[in-house]
Amino acid sequence: MKIAILDDYHDVAKRYADWGSLGGDAEVRIFNNFIPDEQVEAALAPFDVIVAMRERTPFPADRIRALPNLRLLVTTGMRNNAIDMQACAAQGIVVSGAPGSADANTATAELAWAHILGLFKHLPAEDAAMRRGMWQTGMPEPLAGKRLGVLGLGKLGVAVAKVGLAFGMDVAAWSPNLTDERAAEAGVTRVDKHELFATSDVVSLHLILSERSRHIVDAAALAAMKPTAYLVNTSRAGLVDQAALMDALVKFRIAGAGLDVFPDEPLSPTDSVRDLDNVILTPHLGYVSRENFEAFYRNALEAVKAWRDGQPVRVLNG
């Protein structure tokens, strides 16, 4: 049994799970670096089992068909929009989920707040200026009294909203199915989409990406924002019309953005967003923590063992 573990950028898969417990008939290869798209099929063709890290490596139908030996595809997490589940089922490939830790949502909310605070307090610019021997080059902005707009009031959105309330912010929320009652339970005000973008001093995104939510932050939404407002996205890049966002940032129609997610990941070293001074960039860290990765890899190993024993667990395409 040949097993490929993909996108282990932190080189922790061996330490966080006992892959040797699979026995001598299992050959495990760990890919610590991102495999370029044009090399994926050739690199993975020999493997019976692939453990994918979230949505880093897509598995559309044509790629699935190019992997004739593949019999089990394990995805960390319990949802992966980058895997064609029907194509896997048609080829007799089991797709199993490997959930992370219960603290993952908290970690993502914390990162959203790192971006918000970094933007309001101009932390990257001040840090860079201090290292050049300068002193107080910008004017930090207080959070109290400002409006935080939360797009999506699920577990993550509620966690972000609670911190905003603790800072004394006016917190408003919108999502397609949000009710006044649900908003009131979280202690926030439900507004319509236009009002959220038009009145918020920072908008933080916390929706699941689907065909319904794709580009929900469109040119009109960005145009409604104040020129002093910020956009923070620690959810999925597909929620935002990227061309419209880049145009708004380059022309300073909004004050800036905090971005942890990108249309193509890892982000190209030459991507033009890296050149913008009004953007804080992080490399999709929202789900990254020791606790989460330990759970990912241990549950992935469990899924491999269960499949080998003829009793697959957490099947996502069955």
Side-chain angles (χ1 to χ4, degrees):
M1 180 170 57
K2 294 185 177 181
I3 302 166
I5 300 175
L6 306 185
D7 301 305
D8 180 21
Y9 306 151
H10 301 84
D11 195 21
V12 295
K14 284 183 179 179
R15 289 191 283 121
Y16 287 176
D18 183 11
W19 297 96
S21 65
L22 287 167
D25 64 339
E27 176 186 331
V28 179
R29 180 178 175 187
I30 296 176
F31 291 82
N32 297 122
N33 297 314
F34 178 73
I35 306 172
D37 193 65
E38 66 276 9
Q39 299 175 21
V40 170
E41 286 86 353
L44 299 184
F47 293 96
D48 309 289
V49 177
I50 294 173
V51 177
M53 176 53 71
R54 299 286 293 266
E55 297 169 356
R56 298 285 75 75
T57 301
F59 288 90
D62 57 347
R63 176 160 293 163
I64 294 296
R65 289 191 290 268
L67 301 173
N69 293 322
L70 184 59
R71 290 295 173 263
L72 173 66
L73 178 54
V74 181
T75 175
T76 55
M78 292 300 291
R79 182 187 297 111
N80 192 322
N81 291 328
I83 296 174
D84 189 319
M85 298 292 178
Q86 291 184 336
C88 286
Q91 198 160 305
I93 299 166
V94 175
V95 182
S96 286
S101 78
D103 299 329
N105 286 340
T106 302
T108 305
E110 291 167 355
L111 184 68
W113 270 102
H115 277 268
I116 294 170
L117 288 167
L119 290 165
F120 274 80
K121 305 303 180 184
H122 310 300
L123 295 184
E126 292 295 350
D127 177 78
M130 287 286 286
R131 296 175 190 278
R132 296 195 303 269
M134 303 168 71
W135 189 258
Q136 289 195 11
T137 61
M139 189 68 71
E141 305 164 59
L143 294 169
K146 297 292 194 339
R147 169 165 276 193
L148 165 65
V150 180
L151 190 70
L153 202 62
K155 290 181 180 178
L156 278 170
V158 168
V160 169
K162 286 181 178 179
V163 177
L165 293 170
F167 274 122
M169 300 185 78
D170 170 31
V171 183
W174 175 83
S175 67
N177 298 318
L178 182 63
T179 64
D180 289 331
E181 292 75 18
R182 172 63 177 156
E185 288 175 6
V188 307
T189 304
R190 186 184 72 85
V191 297
D192 64 30
K193 179 183 175 182
H194 177 79
E195 183 177 348
L196 185 90
F197 282 91
T199 63
S200 294
D201 297 289
V202 57
V203 176
S204 190
L205 311 186
H206 303 286
L207 285 174
I208 294 172
L209 180 62
S210 65
E211 287 310 308
R212 184 183 181 190
S213 63
R214 185 173 298 277
H215 288 188
I216 200 164
V217 183
D218 54 13
L222 292 165
M225 293 179 69
K226 303 176 185 179
T228 55
Y230 301 106
L231 182 78
V232 171
N233 190 2
T234 56
S235 186
R236 288 291 185 272
L239 296 171
V240 182
D241 181 330
Q242 296 296 311
L245 175 60
M246 284 296 293
D247 187 62
L249 290 167
V250 168
K251 296 177 180 177
F252 290 93
R253 289 207 299 270
I254 62 174
L259 304 176
D260 186 51
V261 289
F262 307 92
D264 296 307
E265 297 182 2
L267 183 66
S268 168
T270 59
D271 194 293
S272 57
V273 74
R274 293 181 185 266
D275 299 325
L276 300 181
D277 293 332
N278 56 343
V279 179
I280 296 177
L281 305 174
T282 52
H284 204 152
L285 294 177
Y287 70 102
V288 179
S289 70
R290 178 180 57 80
E291 295 82 1
N292 206 31
F293 275 44
E294 284 179 345
F296 277 158
Y297 287 124
R298 290 171 184 171
N299 285 323
L301 176 59
E302 178 192 42
V304 174
K305 289 180 176 179
W307 171 80
R308 181 190 61 184
D309 296 339
Q311 297 180 327
V313 295
R314 298 184 293 271
V315 176
L316 302 180
N317 68 330

